[in-house]
């Protein structure tokens, strides 16, 4: 599922990265969230492919509205959401699908991702999976995430979920703004285990205008609240784990501010 908004410059690459996948039976649903920059027109260029369905929703509701709308249209047993400025790497869908089929108790597989800037320059070649073992119970995987102070599973393009677990979790956790993906992973991992994809599964683009210091701090605040919530959700997550995660999230926020300033993406 590709939820898109004002992404006419990057959407074609995102779509091609999906349609070029080999050895996997897929459907691709693209949902344009009332864009005004020609995003829908870009999507329509791929409409002749029988695997592609295109929809458009009205303005409002933020990312959660588009993520939910496009996912509600999906019919497959396994789900992957790919933001309209990211891509999946060749072979990643078949590889992650095989991992979930080989581990019938697994609810979620997460992979590494390549981080790029708005120009496509690589910032990090193999980011993610820190603290995560090849196979883990859901609670153990969430504990590892909390202790890392970040999202080791990856942005949605690096993750594939089993539909049954996603539905049981209540879908996208729209009460969370910046942490909607991680909060959803935690909810899904209440209904199954985690399996690791060691290869790079996606590219994640840091773009979309300037990032403010306030935004970085707001993200850290929300992650800290999510870690506290994880402590209530999972017996494996202790108060010490939560405290460690909060400290780590604050430290990582300071590091991100430095990186974004170096890249010229942050305003004070």
């Amino acid at each position: 599922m590709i939820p898109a908004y004002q992404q006419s410059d990057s959407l074609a690459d995102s779509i091609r990265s999906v349609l070029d996948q080999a050895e996997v039976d897929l459907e691709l649903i693209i949902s344009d969230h009332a864009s005004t920059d020609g995003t829908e027109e870009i999507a329509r260029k791929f409409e002749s492919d029988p695997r592609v369905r295109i929809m458009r929703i009205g303005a409002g509701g933020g990312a959660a509205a588009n993520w939910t709308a496009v996912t509600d249209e999906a019919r497959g047993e396994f789900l992957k959401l790919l933001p309209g400025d990211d891509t999946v790497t060749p072979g990643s869908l078949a590889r992650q699908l095989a991992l979930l089929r080989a581990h019938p108790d697994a609810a979620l597989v997460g992979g590494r991702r390549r981080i790029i800037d708005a120009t496509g320059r690589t910032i990090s070649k193999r980011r993610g999976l820190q603290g995560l073992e090849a196979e883990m119970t859901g609670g153990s995987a969430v504990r590892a995430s909390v202790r890392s102070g970040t999202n080791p599973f990856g942005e949605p393009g690096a993750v594939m979920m089993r539909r049954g677990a996603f539905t049981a979790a209540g879908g996208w956790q729209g009460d969370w703004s910046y942490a909607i993906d991680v909060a959803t992973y935690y909810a899904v991992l209440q209904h199954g285990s985690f399996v690791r994809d060691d290869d790079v599964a996606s590219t994640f683009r840091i773009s979309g205008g300037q990032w403010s210091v306030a935004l970085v701090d707001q993200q850290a605040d929300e992650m800290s609240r999510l870690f506290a919530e994880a402590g209530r959700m999972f017996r494996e997550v202790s108060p010490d784990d939560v405290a460690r995660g909060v400290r780590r999230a604050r430290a990582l926020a300071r590091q991100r501010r430095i990186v974004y300033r170096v890249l010229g993406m942050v305003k004070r």
Side-chain angles (χ1 to χ4, degrees):
M1 304 88 64
I2 298 182
Y5 175 68
Q6 303 291 81
Q7 290 166 328
S8 60
D9 290 342
S10 58
L11 181 60
D13 288 340
S14 300
I15 294 171
R16 290 191 192 99
S17 77
V18 176
L19 297 180
D20 288 347
Q21 295 286 315
E23 300 180 354
V24 62
D25 181 22
L26 63 87
E27 64 173 359
L28 173 58
I29 307 164
I30 305 159
S31 176
D32 176 49
H33 198 173
S35 298
T36 59
D37 68 339
T39 291
E40 183 181 5
E41 289 74 12
I42 295 296
R44 295 288 177 192
K45 294 180 180 180
F46 296 87
E47 202 167 20
S48 61
D49 190 309
R51 298 171 294 177
V52 174
R53 285 189 286 143
I54 298 169
M55 56 186 286
R56 181 176 173 89
I57 69 169
N66 204 12
W67 288 25
T68 297
V70 72
T71 306
D72 284 347
E73 291 296 315
R75 299 172 295 194
E77 181 183 357
F78 302 96
L79 303 173
K80 179 184 286 284
L81 184 139
L82 179 70
D85 53 358
D86 299 338
T87 64
V88 284
T89 57
S92 63
L93 296 191
R95 187 177 64 247
Q96 292 194 335
L97 180 62
L99 283 166
L100 286 173
R101 284 180 168 161
H103 299 83
D105 293 331
L108 181 150
V109 55
R112 301 186 191 277
R113 64 271 199 202
R114 181 167 66 95
I115 312 297
I116 62 176
D117 66 11
T119 68
R121 177 182 55 168
T122 296
I123 298 171
S124 177
K125 292 182 179 179
R126 291 175 59 85
R127 178 68 176 165
L129 303 183
Q130 52 269 49
L132 296 174
E133 300 172 7
E135 300 175 45
M136 304 179 77
T137 65
S140 296
V142 170
R143 179 176 185 261
S145 170
V146 170
R147 288 174 62 84
S148 75
T150 186
N151 170 18
F153 305 106
E155 290 76 28
V159 169
M160 185 179 289
M161 294 177 283
R162 196 178 298 273
R163 171 191 283 282
F166 178 83
T167 301
W172 296 106
Q173 305 295 296
D175 290 340
W176 301 88
S177 299
Y178 309 113
I180 182 174
D181 51 356
V182 191
T184 301
Y185 305 158
Y186 286 6
V188 167
L189 287 168
Q190 290 183 294
H191 303 280
S193 60
F194 166 81
V195 60
R196 187 180 70 195
D197 172 14
D198 284 323
D199 290 331
V200 175
S202 68
T203 65
F204 173 71
R205 187 185 302 271
I206 300 175
S207 62
Q210 291 198 328
W211 291 59
S212 70
V213 169
L215 176 60
V216 174
D217 290 339
Q218 289 166 16
Q219 291 172 320
D221 288 344
E222 186 160 286
M223 288 297 289
S224 297
R225 294 196 300 273
L226 178 59
F227 296 156
E229 180 66 19
R232 293 186 284 270
M233 293 167 60
F234 293 91
R235 58 177 177 78
E236 294 91 341
V237 180
S238 72
D240 286 344
D241 294 329
V242 173
R244 171 178 168 147
V246 170
R247 291 193 301 270
R248 183 71 176 146
R250 303 292 184 196
L252 289 170
R254 291 192 293 271
Q255 293 176 19
R256 282 198 299 275
R257 286 199 295 267
I258 294 171
V259 171
Y260 293 160
R261 284 194 180 109
V262 169
L263 295 175
M265 298 177 63
V266 169
K267 60 183 178 181
R268 294 181 183 277

